Structures are given as structure tokens and as C-alpha cells.
Coordinates of all heavy atoms in Angstrom, one line a residue:
M401 N 109.7 124.0 116.4 CA 109.8 122.7 115.8 C 109.1 122.8 114.4 O 108.0 123.2 114.3 CB 109.2 121.7 116.7 CG 109.5 120.3 116.4 SD 108.6 119.3 117.5 CE 109.1 120.0 119.1
D402 N 109.7 122.2 113.4 CA 109.2 122.2 112.1 C 109.4 120.8 111.4 O 110.1 120.7 110.5 CB 109.7 123.3 111.2 CG 109.1 123.4 109.9 OD1 107.9 122.9 109.8 OD2 109.6 123.9 108.9
W403 N 108.7 119.8 111.9 CA 108.9 118.5 111.4 C 107.7 118.2 110.4 O 106.5 118.3 110.8 CB 108.8 117.4 112.5 CG 110.0 117.5 113.4 CD1 111.2 118.1 113.1 CD2 110.1 116.9 114.7 NE1 112.0 117.8 114.2 CE2 111.4 117.2 115.2 CE3 109.2 116.2 115.5 CZ2 111.8 116.8 116.4 CZ3 109.6 115.7 116.8 CH2 110.9 116.0 117.2
S404 N 108.1 117.9 109.2 CA 107.1 117.5 108.2 C 106.8 116.1 108.2 O 107.7 115.3 108.0 CB 107.6 118.0 106.8 OG 106.8 117.4 105.8
C405 N 105.5 115.7 108.4 CA 105.2 114.3 108.4 C 105.4 113.7 106.9 O 105.7 112.6 106.8 CB 103.7 114.1 108.7 SG 103.3 114.5 110.4
Q406 N 105.3 114.6 105.9 CA 105.5 114.2 104.5 C 107.0 113.8 104.2 O 107.3 113.2 103.3 CB 105.0 115.2 103.5 CG 103.5 115.3 103.4 CD 102.9 116.0 104.5 OE1 103.5 116.9 105.1 NE2 101.6 115.7 104.9
A407 N 107.8 114.3 105.1 CA 109.3 113.9 105.0 C 109.7 112.9 106.1 O 110.9 112.8 106.4 CB 110.1 115.2 105.0
C408 N 108.7 112.3 106.7 CA 109.1 111.5 107.9 C 108.4 110.1 107.7 O 109.0 109.2 107.2 CB 108.6 112.2 109.1 SG 108.9 111.3 110.6
G409 N 107.2 109.9 108.3 CA 106.6 108.6 108.2 C 107.0 107.7 109.3 O 106.6 106.5 109.3
A410 N 107.8 108.1 110.2 CA 108.4 107.2 111.2 C 107.3 106.5 112.1 O 107.4 105.3 112.3 CB 109.4 107.9 112.1
C411 N 106.3 107.2 112.4 CA 105.2 106.6 113.3 C 104.5 105.5 112.6 O 103.9 104.7 113.2 CB 104.3 107.7 113.9 SG 103.5 108.7 112.7
C412 N 104.5 105.5 111.3 CA 103.7 104.6 110.5 C 104.6 103.3 110.2 O 104.1 102.4 109.6 CB 103.3 105.2 109.1 SG 102.5 106.7 109.2
A413 N 105.8 103.3 110.7 CA 106.7 102.2 110.5 C 107.5 101.9 111.7 O 108.7 101.7 111.7 CB 107.7 102.6 109.3
T414 N 106.8 101.8 112.9 CA 107.5 101.6 114.1 C 107.0 100.4 114.8 O 107.8 99.7 115.5 CB 107.4 102.9 115.0 OG1 108.2 103.9 114.5 CG2 107.8 102.6 116.4
S415 N 105.7 100.1 114.6 CA 105.2 98.8 115.3 C 103.9 98.5 114.7 O 103.0 99.3 114.5 CB 105.0 99.1 116.8 OG 104.2 98.1 117.4
A416 N 103.8 97.1 114.5 CA 102.5 96.6 113.9 C 101.4 96.8 115.0 O 100.2 96.7 114.6 CB 102.7 95.1 113.6
E417 N 101.8 97.0 116.2 CA 100.8 97.2 117.3 C 100.2 98.6 117.3 O 99.2 98.9 118.0 CB 101.4 96.8 118.6 CG 101.8 95.4 118.8 CD 100.6 94.5 118.5 OE1 99.5 94.7 119.0 OE2 100.8 93.5 117.9
W418 N 100.8 99.5 116.5 CA 100.5 100.9 116.6 C 99.2 101.2 115.9 O 98.3 101.8 116.5 CB 101.7 101.8 116.3 CG 101.4 103.2 116.6 CD1 101.4 103.7 117.8 CD2 101.0 104.2 115.7 NE1 101.0 105.1 117.7 CE2 100.8 105.4 116.4 CE3 100.9 104.3 114.3 CZ2 100.5 106.6 115.9 CZ3 100.5 105.5 113.7 CH2 100.4 106.6 114.5
P419 N 99.1 100.9 114.6 CA 97.9 101.4 113.8 C 96.7 100.5 114.1 O 96.1 99.8 113.3 CB 98.4 101.4 112.4 CG 99.4 100.4 112.4 CD 100.1 100.3 113.7
R420 N 96.3 100.5 115.4 CA 95.3 99.6 115.9 C 93.9 100.4 115.9 O 93.9 101.6 116.2 CB 95.7 99.2 117.3 CG 94.8 98.2 117.9 CD 95.5 97.6 119.2 NE 96.5 96.6 118.9 CZ 96.2 95.4 118.5 NH1 94.9 95.1 118.2 NH2 97.1 94.5 118.3
F421 N 92.9 99.7 115.6 CA 91.5 100.4 115.6 C 91.1 100.6 117.1 O 91.4 99.7 117.9 CB 90.5 99.6 114.8 CG 91.0 99.3 113.4 CD1 90.8 98.1 112.8 CD2 91.7 100.3 112.7 CE1 91.2 97.8 111.5 CE2 92.1 100.1 111.4 CZ 91.9 98.8 110.8
S422 N 90.3 101.7 117.3 CA 89.9 101.9 118.7 C 88.5 102.3 118.7 O 87.6 101.6 119.0 CB 90.8 102.9 119.4 OG 90.9 104.1 118.5
L423 N 88.3 103.6 118.5 CA 86.9 104.2 118.6 C 86.1 104.2 117.3 O 84.9 104.7 117.4 CB 87.1 105.7 119.1 CG 87.9 105.9 120.3 CD1 88.2 107.4 120.6 CD2 87.2 105.3 121.6
E424 N 86.7 103.7 116.3 CA 86.0 103.8 115.0 C 84.7 102.9 114.9 O 84.7 101.8 115.5 CB 87.0 103.3 113.8 CG 88.2 104.1 113.7 CD 89.3 103.7 114.5 OE1 89.1 102.8 115.4 OE2 90.5 104.2 114.4
S425 N 83.7 103.4 114.3 CA 82.6 102.6 114.1 C 82.8 101.7 112.9 O 83.7 101.8 112.2 CB 81.4 103.5 113.7 OG 81.6 104.1 112.5
D426 N 81.9 100.6 112.8 CA 82.0 99.6 111.7 C 81.9 100.4 110.4 O 82.6 100.0 109.4 CB 81.0 98.6 111.8 CG 81.3 97.6 113.0 OD1 82.5 97.6 113.5 OD2 80.4 96.8 113.4
E427 N 81.0 101.4 110.3 CA 80.8 102.1 109.1 C 82.1 102.9 108.7 O 82.5 102.9 107.5 CB 79.7 103.1 109.2 CG 78.3 102.5 109.4 CD 78.1 101.9 110.8 OE1 78.8 102.2 111.7 OE2 77.1 101.1 110.9
V428 N 82.8 103.4 109.6 CA 84.0 104.2 109.3 C 85.1 103.2 108.9 O 85.8 103.4 107.9 CB 84.4 105.0 110.5 CG1 85.9 105.5 110.4 CG2 83.5 106.2 110.7
L429 N 85.2 102.1 109.6 CA 86.2 101.1 109.2 C 86.0 100.5 107.9 O 86.9 100.2 107.2 CB 86.3 100.0 110.3 CG 86.9 100.4 111.7 CD1 86.9 99.2 112.6 CD2 88.3 101.0 111.5
A430 N 84.8 100.4 107.5 CA 84.5 99.8 106.2 C 85.0 100.7 105.0 O 85.1 100.2 103.9 CB 83.0 99.7 106.1
L431 N 85.3 102.0 105.3 CA 85.8 102.9 104.3 C 87.2 102.6 104.0 O 87.7 103.0 102.9 CB 85.6 104.3 104.7 CG 84.2 104.8 105.0 CD1 84.2 106.2 105.6 CD2 83.4 104.8 103.7
I432 N 88.0 101.9 104.8 CA 89.4 101.6 104.6 C 89.4 100.4 103.7 O 88.8 99.3 103.9 CB 90.1 101.2 105.9 CG1 90.0 102.4 106.9 CG2 91.6 101.0 105.6 CD1 90.6 102.1 108.3
P433 N 90.1 100.6 102.5 CA 90.2 99.4 101.5 C 90.6 98.2 102.3 O 91.6 98.1 103.0 CB 91.2 99.9 100.5 CG 91.0 101.4 100.5 CD 90.8 101.8 102.0
A434 N 89.9 97.0 102.0 CA 90.2 95.8 102.7 C 91.7 95.4 102.6 O 92.2 94.7 103.5 CB 89.3 94.7 102.2
A435 N 92.4 95.7 101.5 CA 93.7 95.2 101.3 C 94.7 95.7 102.4 O 95.7 95.2 102.6 CB 94.2 95.6 99.9
F436 N 94.3 96.9 103.0 CA 95.1 97.4 104.0 C 94.7 97.1 105.4 O 95.4 97.5 106.4 CB 95.1 99.0 103.9 CG 95.6 99.5 102.6 CD1 94.8 100.2 101.7 CD2 96.9 99.3 102.2 CE1 95.2 100.7 100.5 CE2 97.4 99.8 101.0 CZ 96.5 100.5 100.1
V437 N 93.7 96.2 105.6 CA 93.2 95.9 106.9 C 93.6 94.6 107.4 O 93.5 93.6 106.6 CB 91.7 96.1 106.9 CG1 91.1 95.7 108.2 CG2 91.3 97.6 106.7
D438 N 94.0 94.4 108.6 CA 94.3 93.2 109.2 C 93.1 92.9 110.2 O 93.1 93.2 111.4 CB 95.6 93.2 110.0 CG 95.9 91.9 110.8 OD1 95.0 91.0 110.8 OD2 97.1 91.8 111.3
D439 N 92.1 92.3 109.6 CA 90.8 92.1 110.4 C 90.9 91.3 111.6 O 90.4 91.8 112.7 CB 89.8 91.5 109.5 CG 88.6 92.4 109.0 OD1 88.5 93.4 109.8 OD2 88.1 92.2 108.0
P440 N 91.6 90.1 111.6 CA 91.6 89.4 112.8 C 92.3 90.1 114.0 O 92.0 89.8 115.1 CB 92.5 88.1 112.4 CG 92.3 88.1 110.9 CD 92.2 89.5 110.4
N441 N 93.2 90.9 113.7 CA 94.0 91.6 114.8 C 93.4 93.0 115.0 O 94.0 93.7 115.9 CB 95.5 91.7 114.4 CG 96.1 90.4 114.6 OD1 96.0 89.7 115.6 ND2 96.8 89.9 113.5
G442 N 92.4 93.5 114.3 CA 91.8 94.8 114.5 C 92.7 95.9 114.4 O 92.8 96.9 115.2
R443 N 93.5 95.9 113.3 CA 94.4 97.0 113.0 C 94.7 97.1 111.5 O 94.2 96.3 110.8 CB 95.7 96.8 113.8 CG 96.5 95.5 113.4 CD 97.6 95.2 114.3 NE 98.3 94.0 113.8 CZ 99.1 93.2 114.6 NH1 99.0 93.4 115.9 NH2 99.7 92.2 114.0
M444 N 95.5 98.0 111.2 CA 96.0 98.1 109.8 C 96.9 96.9 109.5 O 97.6 96.4 110.4 CB 96.8 99.4 109.5 CG 95.9 100.7 109.6 SD 94.6 100.7 108.5 CE 95.5 101.0 106.9
R445 N 96.9 96.4 108.3 CA 97.8 95.3 107.9 C 99.2 95.9 107.9 O 99.4 97.0 107.3 CB 97.4 94.7 106.6 CG 98.2 93.5 106.2 CD 97.6 92.9 104.9 NE 97.7 93.7 103.8 CZ 98.8 94.0 103.1 NH1 100.0 93.5 103.5 NH2 98.8 94.7 102.1
C446 N 100.1 95.2 108.4 CA 101.5 95.7 108.5 C 102.4 94.6 107.8 O 102.1 93.5 107.8 CB 101.9 95.9 109.9 SG 101.1 97.3 110.6
E447 N 103.5 95.1 107.3 CA 104.5 94.2 106.9 C 105.7 94.5 107.8 O 106.4 95.6 107.7 CB 104.9 94.6 105.4 CG 103.9 94.1 104.4 CD 103.6 95.1 103.3 OE1 104.4 96.0 103.1 OE2 102.5 95.0 102.7
G448 N 106.0 93.5 108.7 CA 106.9 93.8 109.8 C 106.4 95.0 110.6 O 105.2 94.9 111.1
D449 N 107.2 96.0 110.9 CA 106.7 97.1 111.7 C 106.1 98.2 110.9 O 105.7 99.2 111.4 CB 107.9 97.7 112.4 CG 108.4 96.8 113.6 OD1 107.6 96.0 114.1 OD2 109.5 97.0 114.0
R450 N 105.9 98.0 109.6 CA 105.5 99.0 108.7 C 104.0 98.9 108.2 O 103.7 97.8 107.7 CB 106.5 99.1 107.5 CG 106.1 100.2 106.5 CD 107.1 100.2 105.3 NE 106.6 101.0 104.3 CZ 107.2 102.0 103.7 NH1 108.5 102.3 104.1 NH2 106.7 102.7 102.7
C451 N 103.3 99.9 108.4 CA 101.9 99.9 107.9 C 101.8 99.7 106.4 O 102.6 100.4 105.7 CB 101.2 101.2 108.3 SG 99.5 101.3 107.7
S452 N 100.9 98.8 106.0 CA 100.9 98.6 104.5 C 100.4 99.8 103.7 O 100.6 99.8 102.5 CB 100.0 97.4 104.2 OG 98.6 97.7 104.7
A453 N 99.8 100.7 104.4 CA 99.3 101.9 103.6 C 100.3 103.0 103.5 O 100.1 104.0 102.8 CB 98.1 102.5 104.4
L454 N 101.5 102.8 104.1 CA 102.6 103.8 104.1 C 103.3 103.7 102.7 O 103.8 102.7 102.3 CB 103.6 103.7 105.2 CG 104.7 104.7 105.2 CD1 104.1 106.1 105.5 CD2 105.7 104.3 106.3
L455 N 103.3 104.8 102.0 CA 103.9 104.9 100.7 C 105.3 105.7 100.9 O 105.3 106.6 101.7 CB 103.1 105.7 99.7 CG 101.6 105.2 99.5 CD1 100.8 106.1 98.7 CD2 101.6 103.7 99.0
G456 N 106.2 105.4 100.1 CA 107.5 106.1 100.0 C 108.5 105.6 101.0 O 108.4 104.5 101.5
E457 N 109.5 106.5 101.3 CA 110.7 106.1 102.1 C 110.7 106.9 103.3 O 110.7 108.1 103.3 CB 111.9 106.3 101.3 CG 113.2 105.8 101.9 CD 114.5 106.0 101.1 OE1 114.3 106.3 99.9 OE2 115.5 105.9 101.6
V458 N 110.8 106.1 104.5 CA 110.8 106.8 105.8 C 112.0 107.8 105.9 O 113.1 107.4 105.5 CB 110.8 105.8 106.9 CG1 111.0 106.4 108.3 CG2 109.5 105.0 106.9
G459 N 111.7 109.0 106.4 CA 112.7 110.0 106.5 C 113.1 110.7 105.2 O 113.9 111.7 105.2
K460 N 112.4 110.4 104.2 CA 112.7 111.1 102.9 C 111.4 111.7 102.4 O 111.2 112.9 102.4 CB 113.2 110.1 101.8 CG 114.5 109.5 102.2 CD 115.7 110.2 101.4 CE 117.0 109.5 101.5 NZ 117.7 109.4 102.7
A461 N 110.5 110.9 101.9 CA 109.2 111.4 101.4 C 108.2 110.2 101.6 O 108.4 109.1 101.1 CB 109.3 111.7 99.9
T462 N 107.1 110.5 102.3 CA 106.1 109.6 102.6 C 104.7 110.1 102.4 O 104.5 111.2 102.4 CB 106.3 109.0 104.1 OG1 106.3 110.1 104.9 CG2 107.5 108.2 104.2
A463 N 103.7 109.2 102.3 CA 102.3 109.5 102.3 C 101.5 108.3 102.8 O 102.0 107.2 102.8 CB 101.9 109.9 100.8
C464 N 100.3 108.6 103.2 CA 99.4 107.5 103.6 C 98.4 107.3 102.5 O 97.7 108.2 102.0 CB 98.7 108.1 104.8 SG 97.3 106.9 105.3
A465 N 98.3 106.0 102.0 CA 97.4 105.6 101.0 C 96.0 105.8 101.4 O 95.1 105.7 100.5 CB 97.8 104.2 100.5
V466 N 95.7 105.8 102.6 CA 94.3 105.9 103.1 C 94.0 107.2 104.0 O 93.2 107.1 104.9 CB 93.9 104.6 103.9 CG1 94.1 103.3 102.9 CG2 94.7 104.4 105.1
Y467 N 94.8 108.2 103.6 CA 94.8 109.4 104.5 C 93.5 109.8 104.9 O 93.2 110.1 106.1 CB 95.6 110.5 103.8 CG 95.8 111.7 104.7 CD1 96.8 111.6 105.6 CD2 95.0 112.8 104.6 CE1 97.0 112.8 106.5 CE2 95.3 113.9 105.4 CZ 96.2 113.9 106.4 OH 96.5 114.9 107.2
T468 N 92.5 110.0 104.1 CA 91.2 110.6 104.5 C 90.4 109.6 105.3 O 89.5 110.1 106.0 CB 90.4 110.9 103.2 OG1 90.2 109.8 102.4 CG2 91.1 112.0 102.3
V469 N 90.7 108.4 105.4 CA 89.9 107.4 106.1 C 90.9 106.7 107.1 O 90.5 105.7 107.7 CB 89.2 106.4 105.2 CG1 88.2 107.1 104.4 CG2 90.1 105.6 104.3
R470 N 92.0 107.3 107.5 CA 93.0 106.6 108.4 C 92.4 106.5 109.8 O 91.5 107.3 110.1 CB 94.3 107.5 108.4 CG 94.2 108.8 109.1 CD 95.4 109.7 108.7 NE 95.5 111.0 109.3 CZ 94.6 112.0 109.1 NH1 93.7 111.9 108.2 NH2 94.8 113.1 109.7
P471 N 92.9 105.5 110.5 CA 92.4 105.3 111.9 C 92.6 106.5 112.9 O 93.4 107.3 112.6 CB 93.1 104.1 112.4 CG 93.7 103.5 111.1 CD 93.9 104.6 110.2
E472 N 91.9 106.4 114.0 CA 92.0 107.5 115.0 C 93.4 107.7 115.5 O 93.8 108.8 115.6 CB 91.1 107.1 116.2 CG 89.6 107.5 116.0 CD 89.4 109.0 115.7 OE1 90.0 109.8 116.4 OE2 88.7 109.3 114.9
V473 N 94.1 106.5 115.8 CA 95.4 106.7 116.4 C 96.3 107.5 115.4 O 97.2 108.3 115.9 CB 96.0 105.3 116.7 CG1 96.3 104.5 115.4 CG2 97.3 105.5 117.5
C474 N 96.1 107.4 114.1 CA 96.9 108.1 113.2 C 96.6 109.6 113.1 O 97.4 110.4 112.9 CB 96.7 107.5 111.8 SG 96.8 105.7 111.7
R475 N 95.3 109.9 113.5 CA 95.0 111.3 113.5 C 95.4 112.0 114.8 O 95.7 113.2 114.8 CB 93.4 111.4 113.5 CG 92.8 110.9 112.2 CD 91.3 110.7 112.2 NE 90.8 110.0 111.1 CZ 90.5 110.5 109.9 NH1 90.6 111.8 109.8 NH2 90.1 109.8 109.0
T476 N 95.5 111.2 115.8 CA 95.9 111.8 117.1 C 97.4 112.1 117.3 O 97.8 113.1 117.8 CB 95.6 110.7 118.2 OG1 94.2 110.3 118.1 CG2 95.8 111.2 119.6
C477 N 98.2 111.3 116.6 CA 99.7 111.5 116.7 C 100.1 112.8 116.0 O 99.7 113.0 114.9 CB 100.4 110.3 116.0 SG 102.2 110.3 116.3
Q478 N 100.7 113.6 116.8 CA 101.1 114.9 116.3 C 102.6 115.1 116.3 O 103.3 114.6 117.2 CB 100.5 116.0 117.1 CG 98.9 116.1 117.1 CD 98.4 116.5 115.7 OE1 99.0 117.4 115.1 NE2 97.4 115.8 115.2
P479 N 103.1 115.9 115.3 CA 104.6 116.1 115.3 C 105.0 116.7 116.7 O 104.4 117.6 117.2 CB 104.8 117.1 114.2 CG 103.6 116.9 113.3 CD 102.4 116.5 114.2
G480 N 106.0 116.1 117.3 CA 106.6 116.6 118.5 C 106.0 115.9 119.7 O 106.5 116.2 120.8
D481 N 105.0 115.1 119.7 CA 104.4 114.5 120.9 C 105.3 113.3 121.2 O 106.1 112.9 120.4 CB 102.9 114.2 120.7 CG 102.6 113.1 119.8 OD1 103.5 112.3 119.4 OD2 101.4 112.9 119.5
P482 N 105.1 112.7 122.4 CA 106.0 111.6 122.8 C 106.0 110.4 121.9 O 107.1 109.9 121.6 CB 105.3 111.2 124.2 CG 104.7 112.4 124.7 CD 104.1 113.1 123.5
E483 N 104.9 110.0 121.3 CA 104.9 108.9 120.3 C 105.7 109.2 119.1 O 106.4 108.4 118.6 CB 103.5 108.5 120.0 CG 102.7 107.9 121.1 CD 102.1 108.9 122.1 OE1 102.1 110.1 121.8 OE2 101.8 108.4 123.2
C484 N 105.5 110.5 118.6 CA 106.3 111.0 117.5 C 107.8 110.9 117.8 O 108.6 110.4 117.0 CB 105.8 112.4 117.1 SG 106.9 113.3 116.1
R485 N 108.1 111.5 118.9 CA 109.6 111.5 119.2 C 110.2 110.1 119.3 O 111.3 109.9 118.8 CB 109.8 112.3 120.5 CG 109.6 113.8 120.3 CD 109.5 114.5 121.8 NE 109.3 115.9 121.6 CZ 110.3 116.8 121.5 NH1 111.5 116.4 121.5 NH2 109.9 118.1 121.3
M486 N 109.5 109.2 119.9 CA 109.9 107.9 120.0 C 110.1 107.2 118.6 O 111.0 106.5 118.4 CB 108.9 107.1 120.9 CG 109.5 105.8 121.6 SD 108.2 105.0 122.5 CE 107.5 106.3 123.5
A487 N 109.1 107.4 117.8 CA 109.1 106.8 116.5 C 110.3 107.4 115.7 O 111.1 106.6 115.0 CB 107.8 107.0 115.7
R488 N 110.5 108.7 115.8 CA 111.6 109.3 115.0 C 112.9 108.8 115.5 O 113.8 108.6 114.7 CB 111.4 110.8 115.1 CG 110.3 111.4 114.2 CD 110.3 112.9 114.4 NE 111.5 113.5 113.9 CZ 111.7 114.0 112.6 NH1 110.7 113.9 111.7 NH2 112.8 114.5 112.3
A489 N 113.1 108.8 116.8 CA 114.4 108.3 117.4 C 114.7 106.9 116.9 O 115.8 106.6 116.6 CB 114.2 108.4 118.9
R490 N 113.6 106.1 116.8 CA 113.8 104.7 116.4 C 114.4 104.6 114.9 O 115.1 103.7 114.6 CB 112.5 103.9 116.5 CG 112.7 102.5 116.3 CD 111.6 101.7 116.8 NE 111.8 100.3 116.3 CZ 110.8 99.4 116.3 NH1 109.7 99.6 116.7 NH2 111.1 98.1 115.9
H491 N 114.1 105.6 114.2 CA 114.5 105.6 112.8 C 115.7 106.6 112.6 O 116.1 106.9 111.5 CB 113.3 106.1 111.9 CG 112.4 105.0 111.7 ND1 112.5 104.0 110.7 CD2 111.2 104.7 112.3 CE1 111.4 103.2 110.7 NE2 110.7 103.6 111.8
G492 N 116.2 107.0 113.7 CA 117.4 107.9 113.7 C 117.1 109.3 113.1 O 118.0 109.9 112.5
L493 N 115.9 109.7 113.3 CA 115.5 111.0 112.7 C 115.5 112.1 113.8 O 115.2 111.8 115.0 CB 114.1 111.0 112.1 CG 114.1 110.0 110.8 CD1 112.7 109.8 110.4 CD2 115.0 110.5 109.7
Ligands
LIG1110 S1 103.8 112.5 113.6 FE1 106.0 112.6 113.9 S2 106.7 110.5 113.6 FE2 104.7 110.7 112.7 S3 105.1 111.3 110.5 FE3 104.8 113.1 111.7 S4 106.8 113.8 112.3 FE4 106.9 111.7 111.7
LIG1111 S1 97.0 104.2 108.1 FE1 98.3 105.9 107.1 S2 98.7 107.2 108.8 FE2 98.0 105.3 109.8 S3 99.9 104.1 110.2 FE3 99.2 103.5 108.2 S4 100.2 104.9 106.7 FE4 100.4 105.8 108.8

């Protein structure tokens, strides 16, 4: 399997409930620029199902604007795992 996240981005555009904060300390969360954070809901700010930090076009070329300080859930999701497959299927990838 050779799925490139840089040519995908599906998991970042599948549900506003997905990029939710979990184990991060307040200090770590403070590193994420406030414009991308939905504080009241404890997650990344989303526009519809799409994380506001996702750059580019899903299925073509994408990047994360906060990659080095992205939440735990984003670090955990790996190409080919069940969440990845579900997200890709939802986008027809
Ligand atoms: S983990 Fe999977 S769904 Fe997420 S960007 Fe990478 S290939 Fe796409
Ligand atoms: S923070 Fe980055 S890796 Fe996480 S959902 Fe948003 S765009 Fe994707």
C-alpha cells in the first residue's frame, strides 16, 4: 500500500468531531494558532466537515497548516488504518 497523505487529506475533511483534543496539555494546545482552534468544543475549528488547518484540495494535494503542532488524533491516524480507509471511502478515494 502506498497512499500519500500529501495527495489525500481525506481524514482531515471527514467530520468536525474528528480533530478533537484528547491527551494534549494546555501548553501543547497553546502552540496551535488560535485562529484554527474551536475552544468551546475542544477541537480544531472546522468549516463543515473540514478542518480549518487543511490546505489544498482533498484527493489532489493537501497539507496541514499546523503540522508540527497538530493534535494527537492527527498523529495517530496512519495510512491504511480503519479511520483512514473510512475517510478515503467517504471521499471516493
Ligand atoms: S491517513 Fe489516510 S485518510 Fe488521512 S491523509 Fe493519510 S492517506 Fe489520507
Ligand atoms: S490539524 Fe492538520 S492533520 Fe489535524 S485534521 Fe487539521 S489539517 Fe488534518
Side-chain angles (χ1 to χ4, degrees):
M401 190 183 312
D402 184 24
W403 292 342
S404 163
C405 293
Q406 286 78 29
C408 178
C411 58
C412 311
T414 288
S415 168
E417 294 305 315
W418 190 71
R420 188 169 277 291
F421 305 140
S422 54
L423 305 172
E424 299 87 353
S425 66
D426 289 346
E427 290 75 17
V428 166
L429 289 180
L431 298 173
I432 304 175
F436 296 117
V437 174
D438 179 351
D439 252 333
N441 288 310
R443 63 191 186 205
M444 295 297 290
R445 186 172 65 74
C446 291
E447 288 141 17
D449 286 339
R450 181 180 166 125
C451 176
S452 60
L454 181 64
L455 307 173
E457 187 179 344
V458 172
K460 297 260 195 294
T462 54
C464 172
V466 300
Y467 187 76
T468 58
V469 293
R470 68 198 186 286
E472 276 302 315
V473 65
C474 312
R475 298 170 190 272
T476 306
C477 189
Q478 294 294 321
D481 74 12
E483 289 78 15
C484 163
R485 288 169 180 269
M486 201 181 308
R488 287 181 60 93
R490 189 164 170 195
H491 286 272
L493 298 171

